[in-house]
């Protein structure tokens, strides 16, 4: 059975990868753009929906182009600000490292938790958008939307665990192909829009609070376009030298390209009077109005699905990297920093896959609802990172003496301060006006995660303090005596082997211990023990309630009460089975006993294995000599 499971594991996850096979890769800008910029460009598939949905609530769809311009201005502002981030800190820690080092670990934890939630919703929103596209093309699949979305996350998880890398040419084709599709759709849409097409809806002037709030909500919702910027900002280590400058250039190009794609879709939606009342993605509704050809609509849909898939896959890797960094800083379980035999952090992949699947299922793969949750985590990290950069500029400005350098730092501080203010405004608008619509979920998750991370850190700090070597530990005294206790349930070969091991250890005292749960069986054990003359006294403890564990624990405690400085070694015979189903038939009570004995101070538990016939038969079959006709390797 073990070999079958091992073969199945190799089939699912692939052969192990040696550590030496991991070589650092540096990319040029044209290759780094699709690898790290897919998250931002993929938002074009659902960001227009967020804008139109917010305007639809206030019946202000005529303001779509103005709101789109507002979103683009936010994107450009944060793009230039993050380019300065990357140039200042060309490392892979991104916002978490920036905030941790400049504002302190407490704010760093908030940033790390916000980014983890941001990545979680990136996967959920991307998968929900793919599902929405499929349901739009195949309406009969609408009742199965949540199941389809969860299935897609399962496939992505398997791909991430198996470490199926995206081929450069494929990723390149997906990213630039989606841009080409958007460009062609814009050109055809503008060219075909004529007298026979209804004129766009006129925008209302923001004369009332209702209109102003609708506009603010639309811009804040459309700012979901910026959520992929942190992934770009943390990609500097994968660029050739000078890393900071190249990574900043890649980031700015990705921002401009994504802004152009978003603006094109938003303008076409306005020109063709896409008001958001019909079901389906705004991108596909617009494409249907522009091209009016089913096969072209499918082509647009496939390009959108491809870029969304690439974005979600990239987030799996980024989540694992950030979780590993937080684990190394003792804010997450240490296991999240350990790579498996495929050189991937399996725990990190599962840690994002399972909550994403839960979110998708809970919202029935509703993109609009997930977007309201999505923006909170991303913009919390953005605000903190920009505040941290303001602190950095202020600190350096105090030390600068050259006039040119001081002016540059002062200008950069203004840039980061403005970016922090705008990002904070977006965060407040989303958190307040979309609180009931789902923003509260992201806020609660961030607060819960921050609390949990601080608790984990306190635990690791306590453990570190408890196990740190001191001068006293270097001259620790040996125990005054060791007492061996051999658990004997019945007189058989496993018990005699455990007794032989205990004798070889030469303890200060050695006793065999039986538990009387049945009077006749206990009397028979005493008689047979006396007949073999084992040279070790047998102690029988009473168990009136037929419990094995409590009497043994009481006996071991009694030895400690008599000699507190002594060590007790308990030998427990255990069966080693050769078939998977045999595990359910043996060792249940002894495993529970071992677990409870290990909780006692100065107690050592030694499991003495006895290999059953099924194990010996399997080993004999594996070690059988070859037949005369068989060729040795």
């Amino acid at each position: 059975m073990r070999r079958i499971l091992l073969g199945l594991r190799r089939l699912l996850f692939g052969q192990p990868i040696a550590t030496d096979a991991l070589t650092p890769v540096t990319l040029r800008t044209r290759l780094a753009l699709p690898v790290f910029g897919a998250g931002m460009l993929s938002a074009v598939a659902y960001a227009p929906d967020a804008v139109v949905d917010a305007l639809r609530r206030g019946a202000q769809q005529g303001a779509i182009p103005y709101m789109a311009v507002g979103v683009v201005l936010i994107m450009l502002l944060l793009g230039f600000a993050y380019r300065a981030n990357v140039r200042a800190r060309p490392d892979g820690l991104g916002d978490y490292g920036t905030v941790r080092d400049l504002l302190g670990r407490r704010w760093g934890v908030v940033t790390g938790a916000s980014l983890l939630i941001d990545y979680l919703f990136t996967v959920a929103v991307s998968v929900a958008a793919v599902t929405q596209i499929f349901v739009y093309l195949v309406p009969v699949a609408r009742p199965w939307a949540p199941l389809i979305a969860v299935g897609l996350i399962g496939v992505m998880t398997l791909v991430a665990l198996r470490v199926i890398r995206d081929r450069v040419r494929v990723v390149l084709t997906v990213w630039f192909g989606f841009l080409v599709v958007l460009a062609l759709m814009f050109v055809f849409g503008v060219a075909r829009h004529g007298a026979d097409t209804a004129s766009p809806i006129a925008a209302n002037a923001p004369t009332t609070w209702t209109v102003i709030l609708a506009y603010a909500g639309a811009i804040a919702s459309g700012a979901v376009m910026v959520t992929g910027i942190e992934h770009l900002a943390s990609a500097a280590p994968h660029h050739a030298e000078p890393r900071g400058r190249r990574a900043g250039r890649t980031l700015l190009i990705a921002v401009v390209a994504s802004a152009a794609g978003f603006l094109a879709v938003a303008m076409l939606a306005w020109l063709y009077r896409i008001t958001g009342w019909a079901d389906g993605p705004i991108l596909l509704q617009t494409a249907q109005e522009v091209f009016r050809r089913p096969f072209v609509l499918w082509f647009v849909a496939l390009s959108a699905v491809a870029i969304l898939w690439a974005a979600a896959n990239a987030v799996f890797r980024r989540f694992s990297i950030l979780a590993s960094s937080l684990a190394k800083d003792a804010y997450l379980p240490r296991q999240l920093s350990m790579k498996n035999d495929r050189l991937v952090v399996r725990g990190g992949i599962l840690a994002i896959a399972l909550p994403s699947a839960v979110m998708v299922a809970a919202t029935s793969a509703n993109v609009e609802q997930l977007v309201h949750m999505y923006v909170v985590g991303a913009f919390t990290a953005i605000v903190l990172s920009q505040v941290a950069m303001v602190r950095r500029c202020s600190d350096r400005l105090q030390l600068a003496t050259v006039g040119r350098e001081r002016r540059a730092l002062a200008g950069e501080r203004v840039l980061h301060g403005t970016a922090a203010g705008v990002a904070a405004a977006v965060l407040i608008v989303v958190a307040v006006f979309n609180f009931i619509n789902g923003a509260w979920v992201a806020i609660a998750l961030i607060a819960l995660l921050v609390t949990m991370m601080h608790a984990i850190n306190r635990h690791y700090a306590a453990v570190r303090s408890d196990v740190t070597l001191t001068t006293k530990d270097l001259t620790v005294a040996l125990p005054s005596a060791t007492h061996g206790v051999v658990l004997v349930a019945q007189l058989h070969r496993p018990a005699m082997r455990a007794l032989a091991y205990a004798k070889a250890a030469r303890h200060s005292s050695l006793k065999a211990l039986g538990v009387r749960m049945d009077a006749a069986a206990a009397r028979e054990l005493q008689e047979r023990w006396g007949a073999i003359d084992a040279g070790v006294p047998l102690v029988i403890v009473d168990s009136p309630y037929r419990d094995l564990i409590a009497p043994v624990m009481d006996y071991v405690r009694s030895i400690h009460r008599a000699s507190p400085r002594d060590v007790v070694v308990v030998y427990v015979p255990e069966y080693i089975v050769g078939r998977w189903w045999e595990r359910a038939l043996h060792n249940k009570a002894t495993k529970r006993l071992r677990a409870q004995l290990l909780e006692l101070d100065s107690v050592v538990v030694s499991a003495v294995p006895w290999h059953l016939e099924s194990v010996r038969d399997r080993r004999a079959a594996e070690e059988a000599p070859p037949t005369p006709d068989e060729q040795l390797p």
Side-chain angles (χ1 to χ4, degrees):
M1 184 64 184
R2 186 176 301 174
R3 285 182 294 179
I4 295 176
L5 292 176
L6 183 61
L8 183 61
R9 179 182 175 184
R10 293 287 182 264
L11 180 64
L12 289 175
F13 304 126
Q15 295 295 327
I17 301 175
T19 304
D20 296 339
L22 185 63
T23 56
V25 178
T26 57
L27 302 173
R28 298 178 180 178
T29 298
R30 67 181 180 87
L31 298 180
L33 275 171
V35 173
F36 302 106
M40 179 169 283
L41 184 60
S42 67
V44 177
Y46 49 81
D49 301 67
V51 174
V52 174
D53 180 65
L55 292 174
R56 178 177 58 84
R57 297 179 190 180
Q60 301 298 325
Q61 294 95 323
I64 290 176
Y66 304 103
M67 301 303 101
V69 171
V71 172
V72 168
L73 292 177
I74 293 176
M75 293 179 66
L76 295 176
L77 172 64
L78 293 179
F80 280 105
Y82 265 89
R83 184 182 67 166
N85 280 35
V86 174
R87 289 184 174 183
R89 291 181 56 93
D91 57 33
L93 293 179
D95 286 350
Y96 168 65
T98 301
V99 176
R100 181 196 64 185
D101 296 343
L102 294 172
L103 298 183
R105 286 183 169 268
R106 185 173 297 275
W107 289 112
V109 170
V110 176
T111 304
S114 301
L115 288 173
L116 291 179
I117 299 303
D118 171 34
Y119 296 152
L120 184 155
F121 283 113
T122 300
V123 174
V125 171
S126 299
V127 169
V130 171
T131 306
Q132 188 182 45
I133 291 172
F134 180 75
V135 168
Y136 183 79
L137 297 175
V138 187
V140 294
R142 186 175 300 277
W144 303 95
L147 187 61
I148 294 171
V150 173
L152 286 173
I153 292 178
V155 174
M156 288 180 180
T157 304
L158 182 60
V159 168
L161 290 174
R162 193 176 171 84
V163 199
I164 300 177
R165 300 296 185 189
D166 300 324
R167 294 191 176 275
V168 175
R169 291 183 179 179
V170 174
V171 177
L172 203 65
T173 303
V174 167
W175 200 84
F176 286 101
F178 187 61
L179 275 180
V180 171
V181 168
L182 294 177
L184 291 176
M185 189 169 73
F186 182 75
V187 171
F188 272 83
V190 172
R192 286 188 174 183
H193 187 271
D196 59 333
T197 309
S199 59
I201 303 174
N204 296 325
T207 55
T208 63
W209 280 107
T210 304
V211 177
I212 294 174
L213 293 179
Y215 287 176
I219 294 177
S221 298
V224 72
M225 282 295 307
V226 190
T227 50
I229 199 168
E230 196 277 338
H231 193 188
L232 283 159
S234 60
H238 300 283
H239 287 74
E241 295 290 351
R243 291 178 176 176
R245 188 174 299 277
R246 289 179 182 270
R249 181 174 60 193
T250 300
L251 185 147
L252 204 55
I253 294 174
V255 168
V256 171
S258 303
F262 168 76
L263 190 60
V265 175
M267 291 297 295
L268 289 176
W270 175 67
L271 286 174
Y272 285 87
R273 302 176 68 91
I274 306 297
T275 59
W277 290 105
D279 291 334
I282 298 297
L283 175 66
L284 294 193
Q285 291 186 49
T286 305
Q288 191 169 26
E289 291 293 328
V290 169
F291 295 110
R292 300 174 185 176
R293 295 286 189 278
F295 73 92
V296 180
L297 179 65
W298 274 84
F299 187 77
V300 174
L302 289 176
S303 67
V305 167
I307 193 69
L308 288 166
W309 182 276
N313 273 342
V315 168
F316 271 90
R317 293 190 291 270
R318 179 58 191 157
F319 183 96
S320 297
I321 294 171
L322 178 58
S324 178
S325 299
L326 287 164
K328 290 176 182 177
D329 288 345
Y331 288 107
L332 288 178
R334 298 286 191 190
Q335 294 85 339
L336 292 180
S337 64
M338 301 175 185
K339 295 182 179 180
N340 67 351
D341 57 357
R342 291 287 295 172
L343 287 178
V344 350
V345 184
R346 183 177 298 160
I349 293 173
L350 297 178
I352 186 175
L354 295 178
S356 299
V358 170
M359 284 297 166
V360 166
T363 59
S364 298
N366 187 297
V367 176
E368 286 77 12
Q369 189 174 356
L370 287 168
V371 165
H372 298 321
M373 307 176 191
Y374 186 14
V375 176
V376 174
F379 272 84
T380 300
I382 290 173
V383 171
L384 289 173
S385 72
Q386 295 310 301
V387 171
M389 290 301 293
V390 170
R391 170 76 62 85
R392 176 182 179 275
C393 292
S394 297
D395 293 343
R396 293 190 63 191
L397 193 59
Q398 293 178 359
L399 302 176
T401 57
V402 181
R404 183 177 180 181
E405 183 182 2
R406 289 183 61 83
R407 287 192 296 271
L409 287 171
E412 188 176 332
R413 184 170 62 174
V414 171
L415 173 64
H416 291 300
T418 306
V422 171
V426 171
L427 179 60
I428 291 171
V429 169
V430 171
V432 172
F433 296 104
N434 290 331
F435 185 83
I436 299 178
N437 296 325
W440 69 270
V441 176
I443 296 172
L445 287 176
I446 292 172
L448 179 64
L449 191 54
V450 168
T451 303
M452 184 187 73
M453 289 164 71
H454 281 299
I456 291 173
N457 185 258
R458 287 193 297 270
H459 169 76
Y460 279 132
V463 171
R464 185 167 56 251
S465 175
D466 189 40
V467 302
T468 300
L469 281 175
T470 63
T471 306
K472 182 180 178 181
D473 297 317
L474 298 176
T475 58
V476 64
L478 294 175
S480 56
T482 62
H483 304 276
V485 176
V486 181
L487 187 63
V488 179
Q490 54 183 306
L491 196 57
H492 50 22
R493 296 169 70 187
M496 297 309 294
R497 172 172 287 184
L499 185 63
Y501 286 2
K503 287 181 178 180
R506 301 184 181 276
H507 296 288
S508 304
S509 68
L510 179 61
K511 295 179 181 179
L513 180 65
V515 180
R516 183 171 63 184
M517 292 184 286
D518 179 84
R523 187 166 46 253
E524 181 184 357
L525 177 61
Q526 285 178 309
E527 292 173 356
R528 295 187 62 190
W529 192 266
I532 65 171
D533 189 20
V536 174
L538 174 67
V539 178
I540 301 292
V541 293
D542 191 28
S543 178
Y545 300 105
R546 299 161 302 283
D547 179 23
L548 170 68
I549 297 175
V552 175
M553 298 287 289
D554 290 340
Y555 180 77
V556 172
R557 289 192 186 100
S558 69
I559 298 176
H560 270 301
R561 282 193 296 268
S563 305
R565 291 186 54 194
D566 295 354
V567 173
V568 180
V569 182
V570 182
Y571 295 86
V572 182
E574 286 196 8
Y575 294 124
I576 307 300
V577 300
R579 303 180 183 91
W580 64 271
W581 55 267
E582 294 177 335
R583 296 175 186 172
L585 307 179
H586 302 284
N587 301 328
K588 296 301 181 183
T590 55
K591 285 184 178 179
R592 293 196 301 270
L593 175 61
R594 282 199 293 120
Q596 295 197 29
L597 284 171
L598 289 173
E599 295 181 0
L600 300 178
D601 191 24
S602 299
V603 172
V604 178
V605 182
S606 177
V608 182
W610 179 265
H611 296 85
L612 296 179
E613 184 179 3
S614 57
V615 180
R616 297 195 296 271
D617 291 344
R618 187 188 66 191
R619 187 184 301 119
E622 292 175 351
E623 298 176 356
T627 59
D629 296 334
E630 184 180 353
Q631 293 183 355
L632 292 174

